[in-house]
Amino acid sequence: AQSVTQLGSHVSVSEGALVLLRCNYSSSVPPYLFWYVQYPNQGLQLLLKYTSAATLVKGINGFEAEFKKSETSFHLTKPSAHMSDAAEYFCAVTPSSGNTPLVFGKGTRLSVIA
Amino acid sequence: KAGVTQTPRYLIKTRGQQVTLSCSPISGHRSVSWYQQTPGQGLQFLFEYFSETQRNKGNFPGRFSGRQFSNSRSEMNVSTLELGDSALYLCASTNGQGQETQYFGPGTRLLVL
C-alpha cells in the first residue's frame, strides 16, 4: 500500500524567498511520484513527476523536486517565490507498474507575502 | 487538444435527492478516474473506468456509482444525498496504459443543503 505525508498544512514565505514543500511517501514497490498545484476554484495541474529516470526532476514555473529513496522523500522547491505561486500543492504516489489510483497527501497551502 | 471538461461546474441539491455529474476526457483518453475533495478528508479516490468497465474502486458507499460510455465520457451518480457529500468532485483522464500522468478537469462543486 502507498501513503503520502505532507509536512505542514500551511507554509508562508516572502516574495523572492526559497520555497520548500515537504513530501514523504511510503511504498512497498518502486513508486512514481507527482506534485500537483491547485489554484482557487480550479482543478489540479501537474507541476512535475518522477518516473524512475533522473532523481532531480524539473517542472513548470521554476519548480523542481528531488527523489531521495533513502529518505523516502520527494520535496518540492523553488529558488524564488512569486506572488502567483500562492496556491495549494499536493504530492501523490502510485506504484510504478499496474493501473492503480493515485494516493494524495493532504496538501500544503502556500502563501506568498509581499 | 481540449482538456478535461466537467459539467455542471456548480450544483446545489437537498438531502435525499440524487445527482449526476459528467466528465468528458481528453480526446483519445480511455480512462477516467473520479475523486472527491473535501477540506477534512482531502482528495479521495472514488473509482476508475477504462473502456466502459470499472477497473478500480475506492472505499465509498454504494450510493456512489459511475459509468462510462463508448466515447469514453463518464458520469458519476450519487443517490440519497447526505450533507457530507458536499465536496468538489474532480475527474481525471489518461489513455489507461500503465501509470501515466492524470490530467484533471476543473471539478464540479456540489453543495448539499
Side-chain angles (χ1 to χ4, degrees):
Chain A
Q2 290 76 43
S3 67
V4 172
T5 301
Q6 290 185 241
L7 293 174
S9 59
H10 186 206
V11 170
S12 188
V13 301
S14 298
E15 193 174 19
L18 171 72
V19 175
L20 171 60
L21 304 182
R22 299 178 187 274
C23 171
N24 287 89
Y25 70 91
S26 172
S27 179
S28 55
V29 297
Y32 283 176
L33 293 153
F34 302 80
W35 276 99
Y36 284 88
V37 61
Q38 185 177 37
Y39 298 100
N41 298 316
Q42 294 188 27
L44 275 66
Q45 179 184 5
L46 179 72
L47 276 177
L48 50 80
K49 61 181 179 181
Y50 166 77
T51 56
S52 73
T55 56
L56 182 62
V57 181
K58 294 187 184 299
I60 62 171
N61 302 339
F63 285 94
E64 64 181 37
E66 186 171 8
F67 172 71
K68 292 188 176 180
K69 184 178 178 180
S70 61
E71 299 176 9
T72 60
S73 69
F74 191 57
H75 302 330
L76 181 70
T77 61
K78 181 174 180 177
S80 176
H82 192 271
M83 298 297 287
S84 61
D85 295 326
E88 187 138 23
Y89 292 79
F90 293 92
C91 181
V93 66
T94 192
S96 57
S97 62
N99 292 288
T100 50
L102 289 172
V103 174
F104 285 89
K106 293 288 190 185
T108 297
R109 180 166 301 279
L110 175 66
S111 297
V112 182
I113 304 166
Chain B
K1 254 188 194 177
V4 178
T5 58
Q6 292 187 245
T7 56
R9 290 293 312 276
Y10 302 93
L11 209 45
I12 300 175
K13 292 286 188 180
T14 56
R15 278 182 300 173
Q17 287 187 310
Q18 68 132 18
V19 67
T20 299
L21 313 182
S22 179
C23 172
S24 293
I26 290 171
S27 177
H29 283 187
R30 295 165 62 195
S31 166
V32 173
S33 296
W34 288 90
Y35 295 84
Q36 181 195 65
Q37 185 179 20
T38 60
Q41 299 299 318
L43 279 151
Q44 294 186 286
F45 172 74
L46 281 155
F47 30 65
E48 181 215 0
Y49 285 86
F50 175 72
S51 293
E52 302 180 65
T53 301
Q54 188 179 86
R55 185 161 68 175
N56 286 295
K57 187 178 189 306
N59 189 26
F60 276 80
R63 299 186 297 108
F64 292 82
S65 63
R67 60 177 175 169
Q68 187 179 33
F69 302 95
S70 58
N71 63 358
S72 294
R73 189 177 69 86
S74 176
E75 289 181 347
M76 68 162 280
N77 184 78
V78 188
S79 62
T80 320
L81 284 165
E82 300 177 1
L83 295 179
D85 298 332
S86 294
L88 181 66
Y89 290 89
L90 294 162
C91 78
S93 76
T94 74
N95 72 22
Q97 306 299 324
Q99 300 294 69
E100 310 134 24
T101 300
Q102 293 196 12
Y103 294 92
F104 284 81
T108 294
R109 186 164 296 282
L110 172 65
L111 177 61
V112 182
L113 301 175

